């Protein structure tokens, strides 16, 4: 009774219709080994085979129900089960049978695939034992089935998931690692070894010592510090830039990132996973080549630890409107005085070794303009791993997530990377149409996954165009036929907001069925709308740009050209799109051809000057810049050529040499003026003295008209020479030191000196200049300037109204502007503006003692201290002089 409970009772047994079933029961009662076997093996099917009469085999009910058949309808014949076994597996069954028959120690134990009645695959572990006669000849065989379909499906799911993640990581070019912190067990992928020039086989045996062996000794201490900080929870991930010894003897730079993904029961780190990304070129660029930064197409600048500029790209100057084209050596805070404290705090944090970035930030300029910036601050290091400054530029760094333990370690590892890429991912069963998308896939077209349910291949078809579907199907077919290593297609998708976005769709078949047909395929969606639109708009941009720009393919055929390009070369209205560059310009210099070839290899050619002949035969000097442009697969698609007409600049260079000659002549003329003014003064003084002696000897002729004329001429000559001497003295005093002077005090001093004249003339003088406004001046000049303008205001007052003179001042970014306004007679500027500051020019003939020298001398004095004068005036309404004077900056 006990044995009967262990074995399924077949209905046929009760009727006594099958001898093998009865014989098996008898054997079970007699042989305990058979009973033990059934205890372990008979789970999902039991069979007993007569090897002496091989057509007969008995199968219990579970055997057939496992495969979806009715046991009552199935015959107990050998060929009844062979029709539902996969052909490849049937061959293995016979081979295993033969081995077990020949050698009882060779187990009959194998995995076999059966085709279920409903069409799906059932995986079975099939174990058996042969019963032999006393001579060892097999006479019967007992077998047991265990359904392991669920296990195999899980294994397949894990394999597909691994293939999916590996496909995504393969595209990133990352070396990956797993490290057991406690035991030292270390696992690298092949790419990790390739980065330092080896295969994994060459690095065997792999351990943590493998990394230490090839790491630069100076980096180990810093790396350990960062690891300990991560172990203590001070950082969310471990990140370090390290040097590793390449097989060729050189050092390569890698960006090493990792994360602890499992901890032991005591809270200590156990398993850690991470990646290596080679950054040698980036490090060498910043450490060895400032020229790269200066020629970079993006806005990028390099600073030392004091935020002094070491280099800046042309785009940096353009983006921020920096007029001073050489900021190297200047403080960042001097170039941008509007920078507030929060930026300075960020700079100091970066100098402490932190990498800071922002996807969006507001920058208010000094003139009130607002710029929104995406920025990244990254410290740059010297060879001794010391922070030596900051690189400021735009960047997008993808974070990596790591997997945990076997499946958890693997999933965490790959998902960490994928989440950071921002990719929409998909899995597609080519045979059944089953489709799996991640949340990001839906986000790209403005939905959540829940809104797109139920997910299927139709989800994609619904949001794409028929034209793109046909093109995609052709590329898929090529991939299925192994014509391409992977599937890749660019197409449009309908966004929830009604607009179309562009995506780059990549995928690969990762499993094939028994017939060699594709089964599971995995891939990703990457939005490239901006990149696509930028590329598609290039022609329109180039055609409308005010600069002379042309875009050519890699065969030097025209794709687009601006109107300015036609004008500079005087091409006229001929059609050049699609034509060869060499066809339009047959006379091309050897130097230009060399530069074109160099650029097509990926080099940027700048500041190349050449004299060319236009279509009309006119000669021009042009400055060239050639840059390669790249297609979506990062291949050079052709060139963008920008030219500037520098013919005028070349002519200006010729003029500069002439100016040098003029400057030397001016210097000689100035010396000549000194000599002439000195000698004339001596001679005129002698003449005046001799005339006085002559009159002393002959007093009776003092009233003689001719003598009076001589006296007047002598006096006028002396005055003229004195004035000329004063002007010469002013114009040669530029090398005198300018000193800070408090403007209000200087005005008060002059006003006190003329107070008697002002009182007598009934002129009110108002000094409205604020305290603490300083100007840079020569004290004697400032006193003379103020005295001249104030006394002029008194002299040319109007007697028709109460007179006043008002002095006020404001400070702008470059000057202190002093305004001296009166309500006097005024000047007819429409008539006299051109000669206002001329020598001996007067505008009020009825005013006594008006010699016309005051404004002339005052203007020279203002210009001598680096200032300038502006004037506004209306006849009979007054005059306002504005004197611009420099001041000492904080």
């Amino acid at each position: 009774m006990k044995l009967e409970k262990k074995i399924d009772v077949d209905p046929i047994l009760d009727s006594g219709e099958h001898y093998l079933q009865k014989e098996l029961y008898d054997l079970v009662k007699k042989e305990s080994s058979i009973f033990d076997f059934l205890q372990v093996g008979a789970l999902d099917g039991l069979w007993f085979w007569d090897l002496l009469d091989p057509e007969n085999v008995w199968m219990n009910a579970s055997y057939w129900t496992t495969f979806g058949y009715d046991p009552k309808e199935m015959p107990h014949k050998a060929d009844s089960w062979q029709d539902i076994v996969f052909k490849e597996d049937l061959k293995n069954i016979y081979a295993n049978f033969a081995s077990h028959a020949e050698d009882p120690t060779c187990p009959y134990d194998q995995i076999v695939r059966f085709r279920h009645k409903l069409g799906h695959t059932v995986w079975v572990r099939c174990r058996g034992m042969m019963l032999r006669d006393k001579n060892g000849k097999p006479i019967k065989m007992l077998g047991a089935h265990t359904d392991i379909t669920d296990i195999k499906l899980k294994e397949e799911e894990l394999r597909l998931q691994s293939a999916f993640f590996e496909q995504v990581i393969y595209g990133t070019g990352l070396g990956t690692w797993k490290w057991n912190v406690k035991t030292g067990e270390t696992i690298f992928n092949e790419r990790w070894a390739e980065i330092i020039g080896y295969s994994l086989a060459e690095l065997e045996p792999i351990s943590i010592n493998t990394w230490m062996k090839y790491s630069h000794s100076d980096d180990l201490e810093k790396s350990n510090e960062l690891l300990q900080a991560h172990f203590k929870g001070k950082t969310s991930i471990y990140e370090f830039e390290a040097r590793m010894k390449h097989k060729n003897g050189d050092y390569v730079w890698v960006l090493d990132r990792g994360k602890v993904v499992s901890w032991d029961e005591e809270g200590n780190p156990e398993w850690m996973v991470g990646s290596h990304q080679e950054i040698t070129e980036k490090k060498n660029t910043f450490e060895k080549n400032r020229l790269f930064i200066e020629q970079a197409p993006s806005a990028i600048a390099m600073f030392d630890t004091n935020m002094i500029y070491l280099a800046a790209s042309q785009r940096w100057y353009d983006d921020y409107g920096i007029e001073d084209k050489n900021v190297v050596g200047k403080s960042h805070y001097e170039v941008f005085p509007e920078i507030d404290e929060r930026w300075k705090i960020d700079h100091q944090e970066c100098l402490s070794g932190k990498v800071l970035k922002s996807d969006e930030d507001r920058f208010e300029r000094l003139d009130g303009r607002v710029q929104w910036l995406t920025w990244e601050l990254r410290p740059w290091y010297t060879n001794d791993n010391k922070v030596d400054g900051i690189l400021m530029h735009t960047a997008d760094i993808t974070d990596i997530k790591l997997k945990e333990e076997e499946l958890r370690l693997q999933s965490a590892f790959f998902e960490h990377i994928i989440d950071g890429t921002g990719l929409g991912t998909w899995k597609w069963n080519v045979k059944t149409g089953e489709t799996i998308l991640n949340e990001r896939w839906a986000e790209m077209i403005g939905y959540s996954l829940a809104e797109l349910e139920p997910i299927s291949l139709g989800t994609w078809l619904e949001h794409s165009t028929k034209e793109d579907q046909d093109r995609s199907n052709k590329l898929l077919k090529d991939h299925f036929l192994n014509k391409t290593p992977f599937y890749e297609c660019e197409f449009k998708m309908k966004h929830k907001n009604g607009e179309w976005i562009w995506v780059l769709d990549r995928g690969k078949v990762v499993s094939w069925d028994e017939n060699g047909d594709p089964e599971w395929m995995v891939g990703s969606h990457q939005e490239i709308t901006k990149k696509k639109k930028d590329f598609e708009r290039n022609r329109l941009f180039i055609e409308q740009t005010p600069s002379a720009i042309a875009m050519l393919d890699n065969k030097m055929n025209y794709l687009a050209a601006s109107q300015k390009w036609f004008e500079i070369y005087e091409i006229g209205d001929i059609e050049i799109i699609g034509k060869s560059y060499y066809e339009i310009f047959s006379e091309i210099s050897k130097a230009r051809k060399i530069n074109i070839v160099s650029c097509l290899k990926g080099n940027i050619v700048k500041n190349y000057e050449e004299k060319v002949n236009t279509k009309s035969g006119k000669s021009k000097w042009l400055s060239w810049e050639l840059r390669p442009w790249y297609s979506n697969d990062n291949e050079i698609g052709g060139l963008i050529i920008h030219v500037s007409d520098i013919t005028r600049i070349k002519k200006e260079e010729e003029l500069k040499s002439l100016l040098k000659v003029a400057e030397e002549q001016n210097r000689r003329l100035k010396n000549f003026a000194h000599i002439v003014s000195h000698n004339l003064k001596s001679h005129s003084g002698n003449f005046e003295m001799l005339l006085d002696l002559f009159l002393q000897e002959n007093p009776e002729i003092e009233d003689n008209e001719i003598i009076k004329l001589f006296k007047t001429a002598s006096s006028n000559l002396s005055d003229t020479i004195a004035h000329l001497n004063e002007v010469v003295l002013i114009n040669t005093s530029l090398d005198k030191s300018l000193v800070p002077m408090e403007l209000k005090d200087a005005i008060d001093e002059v006003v006190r000196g003329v107070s008697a004249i002002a009182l007598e003339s009934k002129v009110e003088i108002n000094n409205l200049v604020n305290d603490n406004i300083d100007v840079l001046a020569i004290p004697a000049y400032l006193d003379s300037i103020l005295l001249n303008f104030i006394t002029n205001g008194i002299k040319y007052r109007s007697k028709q109204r109460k007179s006043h003179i008002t002095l006020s001042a404001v400070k702008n970014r470059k000057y202190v502007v002093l305004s001296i306004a009166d309500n006097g007679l005024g000047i007819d500027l429409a008539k006299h503006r051109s000669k206002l500051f001329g020598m001996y020019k007067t505008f009020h003939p009825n005013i006594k003692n008006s010699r016309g020298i005051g404004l002339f001398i005052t203007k020279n004095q203002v210009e001598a201290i680096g200032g300038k004068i502006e004037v506004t005036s209306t006849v009979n309404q007054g005059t306002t002089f504005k004197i611009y004077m420099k001041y000492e900056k904080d």
Side-chain angles (χ1 to χ4, degrees), residues 151-189:
I151 296 173
K152 295 299 289 185
L153 290 176
K154 290 294 182 183
E155 288 178 354
E156 181 67 5
E157 182 181 353
L158 177 60
R159 190 185 71 80
L160 288 172
Q161 188 176 35
S162 298
F164 169 62
F165 288 133
E166 287 170 3
Q167 167 67 14
V168 176
I169 281 197
Y170 177 77
T172 67
L174 293 176
T176 63
W177 54 264
K178 300 186 232 179
W179 173 40
N180 190 309
V181 183
K182 299 177 70 174
T183 67
E185 180 185 353
T186 307
I187 303 170
F188 300 141
N189 72 347

Side-chain angles (χ1 to χ4, degrees), residues 176 519 638 697:
T176 63
E519 193 168 26
E697 294 293 328

Side-chain angles (χ1 to χ4, degrees), residues 637-648:
L639 303 184
I640 291 179
I641 303 178
H642 175 266
V643 295
S644 300
D645 188 347
I646 58 170
T647 306
R648 182 177 58 82

Side-chain angles (χ1 to χ4, degrees), residues 152-164 167 425-437 455-457 476 479-480 485 487 507-514 516-523:
K152 295 299 289 185
L153 290 176
K154 290 294 182 183
E155 288 178 354
E156 181 67 5
E157 182 181 353
L158 177 60
R159 190 185 71 80
L160 288 172
Q161 188 176 35
S162 298
F164 169 62
Q167 167 67 14
T425 62
W426 51 266
K427 303 177 195 177
W428 173 42
N429 190 307
V430 182
K431 299 178 69 174
T432 67
E434 180 184 355
T435 306
I436 302 171
L437 310 175
I455 303 297
S456 68
L457 178 61
L476 281 170
H479 179 52
F480 293 163
Y487 155 79
K508 186 181 178 83
V509 175
V510 294
S511 70
W512 306 78
D513 65 15
E514 64 274 11
D517 294 324
E519 193 168 26
W520 276 101
M521 189 172 180
V522 297

Side-chain angles (χ1 to χ4, degrees), residues 440-508:
R440 176 60 184 150
W441 194 99
E443 287 176 1
M444 284 187 187
I445 55 174
Y447 295 89
S448 65
L449 271 180
E451 292 178 280
L452 296 178
E453 293 289 352
I455 303 297
S456 68
L457 178 61
T459 307
W460 176 74
L461 297 173
E462 181 183 346
H463 292 88
S464 59
T465 67
K466 179 65 168 60
E467 179 185 359
D468 287 340
Q469 291 166 19
D470 293 342
R471 187 160 46 86
S472 173
N473 287 334
K474 182 180 182 303
L475 294 170
L476 281 170
K477 185 177 180 181
D478 288 344
H479 179 52
F480 293 163
L481 296 174
N482 289 317
K483 292 182 180 180
T484 58
F486 55 87
Y487 155 79
E488 182 174 271
C489 183
E490 293 181 357
F491 51 74
K492 301 186 292 295
M493 293 194 70
K494 189 70 169 289
H495 195 276
K496 186 178 182 180
N497 62 14
E499 297 179 359
W500 292 93
I501 67 166
W502 280 91
V503 297
L504 173 60
D505 190 18
R506 287 194 179 101
K508 186 181 178 83

Side-chain angles (χ1 to χ4, degrees), residues 284-322:
N284 288 342
T285 297
F286 281 104
E287 290 175 359
K288 299 177 181 177
N289 198 352
R290 292 185 186 179
L291 186 61
F292 166 78
I293 292 177
E294 293 170 358
Q295 296 182 349
S298 58
I300 181 169
M302 186 177 189
F303 304 89
D304 66 11
T305 53
N306 295 316
M307 292 304 292
I308 302 299
Y309 278 89
L310 300 178
S313 66
Q314 183 57 47
R315 186 61 177 270
W316 182 272
Y317 289 96
D318 296 342
D319 283 0
Y320 297 106
I322 302 173

